[in-house]
Amino acid sequence: MILSGKEIKKRLGKEIIIDPFDDSRVGPNSYNLRLHHDLVMYDVAELDMKKSHATKSLVIPEEGLLLQPGQLYLGRTIEYTETDNLVPMLEGRSSIGRLGLFIHITAGFGDVGFCGFWTLEMFCVQPVRVYAGVEICQIFYHTIEGDYTRYMSNKYQNNRGVQPSMLYKDFENV
């Protein structure tokens, strides 16, 4: 089951934390999250799953930043979220998708117990100008059945900024 917007509000401060929270961003069954002004790009043309990669930081200026096709931009939400006893999910808003801007390539599925900011894997079909503070995606919540183990990660839990891939850590104990 997916929680309704009213149920999201009812569970705030208990199973759901969204900080900062603004009642005007609650939808019928989701909450709109905003784009932070910090972005990250990989600083190399070829990426190797077994290695950490250098990145460069970008800041979205007030006049916006023109994203280019064929380039991956990592962003993050302004809002910090915590979830307990629910599975958080992230999707781009339809208005954003209709501009040809993808908000997450594969990582829209959260884990029960996730705490942190959401990293956005942004990719566009054609050049598109983005602005900090825009409501770029929506978070929604599924109930979970049965016993579960809370998400605990040495990679992404309790993050503070934009998170590049840490897949290389999976190879350290192999």
Side-chain angles (χ1 to χ4, degrees):
M1 298 268 235
I2 294 175
L3 298 188
S4 69
K6 290 179 182 181
E7 189 65 20
I8 290 170
K9 286 172 50 173
K10 189 188 298 184
R11 295 188 189 201
L12 277 173
K14 301 171 196 121
E15 295 166 302
I16 298 172
I17 293 173
I18 301 171
D19 185 32
F21 178 82
D22 180 344
D23 196 56
S24 70
R25 287 198 272 286
V26 177
N29 54 304
S30 64
Y31 182 86
N32 286 347
L33 300 176
R34 297 169 296 153
L35 178 62
H36 193 271
H37 58 79
D38 290 333
L39 297 179
V40 166
M41 295 172 53
Y42 288 105
D43 212 13
V44 295
E46 182 180 315
L47 301 174
D48 184 330
M49 290 180 167
K50 290 186 174 185
K51 296 179 181 176
S52 176
H53 297 285
T55 60
K56 64 180 176 181
S57 298
L58 301 170
V59 175
I60 301 173
E62 192 170 317
E63 65 274 8
L65 180 69
L66 188 63
L67 303 185
Q68 297 298 322
Q71 177 64 53
L72 177 65
Y73 299 87
L74 299 175
R76 79 163 177 90
T77 59
I78 290 174
E79 291 80 10
Y80 170 89
T81 70
E82 291 185 16
T83 308
D84 188 34
N85 199 37
L86 298 164
V87 178
M89 302 280 296
L90 200 70
E91 286 291 342
R93 293 181 58 223
S94 62
S95 296
I96 301 296
R98 291 173 185 168
L99 294 174
L101 178 58
F102 298 92
I103 300 309
H104 68 82
I105 296 171
T106 62
F109 186 82
D111 287 302
V112 65
F114 172 73
C115 302
F117 299 94
W118 288 79
T119 295
L120 308 173
E121 302 116 4
M122 300 169 29
F123 184 84
C124 57
V125 173
Q126 64 191 61
V128 61
R129 188 170 299 276
V130 298
Y131 299 88
V134 68
E135 294 179 20
I136 197 154
C137 60
Q138 51 196 353
I139 191 169
F140 59 102
Y141 300 91
H142 285 273
T143 55
I144 189 167
E145 298 265 339
D147 291 336
Y148 63 89
T149 303
R150 283 181 56 86
Y151 176 72
M152 299 301 251
S153 168
N154 66 344
K155 295 189 288 190
Y156 306 116
Q157 183 75 313
N158 297 309
N159 66 54
R160 293 288 164 225
V162 180
Q163 298 277 240
S165 176
M166 291 187 217
L167 183 64
Y168 64 91
K169 289 185 176 190
D170 293 354
F171 293 94
E172 291 175 351
N173 297 324
V174 177

